[in-house]
Amino acid sequence: MKKQTLLSGIAPSGRLTLGNYLGAIRNWVARQDQYKCFFPLVDLHAVTVRQDPTTFADRCRDFVALYLACGVNPQTSVVFAQSHVAEHCELAWILQCYTQVGELNRMTQYKDKSRRNKGDMNAGLFSYPVLMAADIVLYKADLVPVGEDQRQHLELTRDVAGRFNGLFGDVFPIPEAYIPDSGARVMSLQDPTKKMSKSDTVAANVIALLDDPTDVARKIKRCVTDSGNEIVVREDKPGVSNLLNILAAVTETTTAALENEYVGQGYGRLKSDVADAVIALLEPIQARFSDLRSDELALDAMLAAGALEAGKTARRTVQEVHGALGFIPKSSRVGPRA
Ligand code: TRP
């Protein structure tokens, strides 16, 4: 039986966090043998907000090296830069012609971003979900692991793909979202009602995958907890719930089991256990990262191989789409200009 295809991406802005690992990258790694996987580094998405060109490539390489350090296997999964495969933009254009302005206007992430980016409300922020749809259908992905915040973009992708199929026949599979349950959601350390965000500029809110152990320990020790002293997952205890969720995810147990274990214990003990567990998780990742990141030529060559492979599938899909739309097929015979 042919393997199904899985695709997911993270925009290279900010720094990858413990939340990205527990909520996303770890799930990619767990599924990469079962599915044919594509992991584009979605750099074209990142330029919807201003990036510093003198550091952008290095940040992108950091992201890719971290994917590999976390266990993504470039021998079996296709890891590449979105900007290296021009078909993403080509297909995004065509899909824009099958997307209604009204649909994009309803995207809550766009509404939030336009509120926050008053000074630079560029058209890319608006059409961003169509580029994401193109990323997905270009490889005919069946399964798309994303965070809860991307559910609406996935719905749009399904609508646009379904609409296209309705007009032109079954060109695209309709992708399923795979959204990890809320337990896998890591929240900000200082405001545990908000998601831990890789673009958060307040370092104390975030555990970055490359934070050194002393920073990790200090941030966890100082994170916000709640009044009272019970160690339980409960709505009125977002700080303690977050610590329990992190510990359960890192040590692969349940929060219920941890609640039992911590009866009668204090917050101090919980925090030091969380810190130890997170540090033990990050240490081998950081060691592999330094190895991988120190060989930039090898990293770039891996991305080139990924782009070559992704490009083959991407070209095939674009040709199929061009055919469906009735474009003149591009002849493989070049003759004299008439
Ligand atoms: N928009 C996604 C995010 O912000 C990133 C993304 C871009 C993506 N293209 C994708 C995710 C394709 C999954 C599939 O998280």
Side-chain angles (χ1 to χ4, degrees), residues 26-298:
R26 192 171 67 161
N27 294 319
W28 303 353
V29 173
R31 279 168 184 74
Q32 66 186 342
D33 295 327
Q34 199 186 338
Y35 288 88
K36 172 76 194 169
C37 292
F38 291 87
F39 299 121
L41 173 89
V42 290
D43 48 3
L44 294 169
H45 279 96
V47 297
T48 50
V49 292
R50 298 290 82 98
Q51 304 293 338
D52 176 354
T54 62
T55 55
F56 191 44
D58 278 334
R59 163 121 47 74
C60 290
R61 292 190 183 103
D62 287 351
F63 270 58
V64 170
L66 267 171
Y67 288 1
L68 305 193
C70 289
V72 170
N73 177 359
Q75 305 298 321
T76 52
S77 295
V78 189
V79 181
F80 63 103
Q82 184 190 30
S83 63
H84 292 176
V85 180
E87 284 81 359
H88 288 256
C89 294
E90 274 188 82
L91 186 58
W93 169 256
I94 290 172
L95 295 183
Q96 282 188 59
C97 300
Y98 295 89
T99 306
Q100 298 300 306
V101 169
E103 289 179 296
L104 293 177
N105 257 325
R106 282 195 292 278
M107 296 291 118
T108 54
Q109 192 172 66
Y110 159 70
K111 286 194 255 186
D112 284 353
K113 284 190 181 169
S114 53
R115 234 174 279 128
R116 277 185 277 127
N117 288 303
K118 284 241 159 56
D120 178 24
M121 204 36 241
N122 64 73
L125 282 171
F126 185 63
S127 58
Y128 178 111
V130 189
L131 179 59
M132 177 166 163
D135 298 340
I136 295 167
V137 301
L138 197 49
Y139 302 98
K140 304 200 174 186
D142 301 291
L143 192 69
V144 183
V146 282
E148 180 61 43
D149 61 328
Q150 298 297 312
R151 187 189 289 278
Q152 207 186 18
H153 293 164
L154 236 298
E155 280 305 318
L156 178 82
T157 303
R158 291 165 57 88
D159 289 346
V160 172
R163 184 172 305 147
F164 196 91
N165 287 350
L167 292 165
F168 304 108
D170 280 341
V171 179
F172 304 123
I174 305 300
E176 290 293 334
Y178 170 78
I179 297 176
D181 65 45
S182 59
R185 249 177 112 195
V186 178
M187 310 304 277
S188 156
L189 296 178
Q190 295 299 322
D191 179 0
T193 60
K194 280 195 335 213
K195 189 176 112 165
M196 183 179 284
S197 159
K198 66 181 153 58
S199 331
D200 199 320
T201 49
V202 181
N205 286 339
V206 175
I207 296 170
L209 293 180
L210 295 177
D211 276 348
D212 64 46
T214 45
D215 276 343
V216 172
R218 189 169 32 85
K219 288 181 193 180
I220 292 175
K221 194 176 284 167
R222 296 190 188 156
C223 81
V224 166
T225 43
D226 316 291
S227 55
N229 52 18
E230 271 172 293
I231 297 187
V232 289
V233 173
R234 218 167 57 203
E235 211 161 316
D236 64 337
K237 300 189 75 109
V240 171
S241 301
N242 191 30
L243 288 174
L244 285 170
N245 277 327
I246 292 172
L247 189 56
V250 173
T251 60
E252 298 187 57
T253 179
T254 62
T255 53
L258 291 174
E259 286 176 351
N260 280 329
E261 226 176 276
Y262 282 93
V263 171
Q265 305 280 349
Y267 288 167
R269 164 75 197 286
L270 174 64
K271 284 181 169 181
S272 80
D273 289 351
V274 173
D276 289 347
V278 172
I279 290 166
L281 171 79
L282 296 186
E283 249 160 7
I285 294 175
Q286 295 180 355
R288 284 192 295 271
F289 171 83
S290 350
D291 273 356
L292 290 156
R293 188 64 182 85
S294 64
D295 192 348
E296 214 161 274
L297 288 177

